[in-house]
Each structure stands twice: as structure tokens, then as C-alpha cells.
């Protein structure tokens, strides 16, 4: 990704409430708050680096657009049809 957003790998991070803690990012809204509070690692477009934030952002978009959780959409549209 070329966004400059850092990769979240489960280490202790500083969330929107500015308290360092280990927290899974299963809640997209919490994750988006945390990402917006994180400094960029580099200017957007400057280089390419892996970041998990894009996937979490995509899950938030799917959840908002469908009025269902990302997990529910995966089950309904992918897992169940595959059997």
C-alpha cells in the first residue's frame, strides 16, 4: 500500500484514547479511530509498504454499505455458497 499508514501486527498500540494497550481490531469503528490517531510512516505515494489498515477499512465500507457486519457478509456471500 502507498497510504503511509503503519501496519498493525498485534503489538501494543496507542488507540484514540491515547492509552497504550493490546486490542484486537475486530471492531472496524475502533480501528478507524485508532488509525486516524496514528502518524503516517511516510508521505502517501512516496513508497510501498504492507499495511493491514486497508483491509480493515474495506471491511468497514462493506459493513456500512450492507448494514451487516463484514463477517456476516463473508458467511452469506462466500462461505455458505462454497459449502
Amino acid at each position: 500500500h502507498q497510504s503511509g499508514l503503519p501496519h498493525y501486527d498485534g503489538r501494543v498500540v496507542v488507540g484514540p484514547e491515547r492509552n497504550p494497550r493490546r486490542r484486537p481490531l475486530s471492531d472496524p469503528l475502533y480501528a478507524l479511530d485508532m488509525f486516524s490517531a496514528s502518524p503516517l510512516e511516510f508521505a502517501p505515494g512516496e513508497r510501498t509498504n504492507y499495511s493491514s489498515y486497508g483491509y480493515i477499512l474495506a471491511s468497514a465500507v462493506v459493513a456500512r454499505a450492507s448494514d451487516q457486519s463484514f463477517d456476516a457478509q463473508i458467511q452469506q456471500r462466500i462461505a455458505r455458497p462454497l459449502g
Side-chain angles (χ1 to χ4, degrees), residues 23-49:
R23 180 171 175 164
L25 298 180
S26 57
D27 176 0
L29 294 179
Y30 175 82
L32 292 173
D33 284 344
M34 189 184 79
F35 301 156
S36 67
S38 298
L40 296 178
E41 291 188 339
F42 51 86
E46 185 177 275
R47 64 180 203 236
T48 301
N49 191 26

Side-chain angles (χ1 to χ4, degrees), residues 26-30 32-33 55-74 77:
S26 57
D27 176 0
L29 294 179
Y30 175 82
L32 292 173
D33 284 344
Y55 297 105
I56 296 169
L57 178 58
S59 74
V61 170
V62 168
R64 172 70 63 96
S66 67
D67 279 336
Q68 288 186 318
S69 71
F70 181 70
D71 293 342
Q73 285 292 310
I74 293 295
R77 297 178 179 270

